[in-house]
Amino acid sequence: MSDLIPILVAKYNYWLYIVLMMIGLYAMIAKNNLVKKLVGMNIFQTSIILFYVSIGCKKGATIPIIQHGMAAGHHAIDPSHYVNPLPHVLMLTAIVVSVSTFGVALALAIKTYHQYKTLEEDEILARLRPR
């Protein structure tokens, strides 16, 4: 048990992502309000983005820009000193997609509210069922 605690503390960021992901998943499954479901979806997406940004970090590394020019001669470049920019670039794209998806979903929620005068999923489904 005493060996497990330092491992859990060392990887605290992963536990934070798991907690955020479970909060978002709970909101998407358990809540009946459409806006609360959308916020849960956004929390879920944010936890995934944070996870990928976190695994893309490297201690002691720098951005992948070669600081010495051609005049300094030809030096072998050690890739272990540089951070891989691909996860960060992909997550930047994911953030843009997430924000746009959230905006469209909120617009659809507003249209739904204007049509049914409620955002509760069970009340909308009750109105849609044939009698």
Side-chain angles (χ1 to χ4, degrees):
M1 182 69 183
S2 63
D3 295 338
L4 185 63
I5 292 175
I7 293 172
L8 293 177
V9 171
K11 304 289 183 187
Y12 70 92
N13 54 342
Y14 295 117
W15 295 107
L16 177 67
Y17 310 140
I18 291 171
V19 168
L20 280 176
M21 189 178 288
M22 292 302 111
I23 290 172
L25 187 65
Y26 171 76
M28 286 192 300
I29 292 173
K31 299 296 180 184
N32 279 334
N33 190 305
L34 294 179
V35 173
K36 290 179 182 177
K37 284 181 180 280
L38 292 175
V39 170
M41 180 185 73
N42 205 8
I43 292 171
F44 192 88
Q45 290 173 338
T46 302
S47 69
I48 293 172
I49 289 169
L50 286 173
F51 171 72
Y52 274 99
V53 168
S54 173
I55 63 172
C57 290
K58 188 188 295 185
K59 286 188 177 180
T62 183
I63 55 175
I65 296 175
I66 299 173
Q67 297 179 357
H68 51 80
M70 295 298 285
H74 296 286
H75 297 283
I77 297 172
D78 187 9
S80 65
H81 295 150
Y82 297 101
V83 174
N84 184 4
L86 187 61
H88 297 89
V89 171
L90 289 175
M91 290 307 108
L92 186 61
T93 305
I95 290 169
V96 172
V97 170
S98 172
V99 168
S100 60
T101 302
F102 190 63
V104 169
L106 284 176
L108 290 174
I110 290 171
K111 293 293 273 184
T112 303
Y113 180 76
H114 285 301
Q115 185 167 356
Y116 295 103
K117 303 296 182 204
T118 184
L119 288 175
E120 297 298 321
E121 183 181 14
D122 50 350
E123 293 177 20
I124 294 170
L125 289 175
R127 291 181 188 179
L128 291 175
R129 287 191 187 110
R131 295 177 188 170

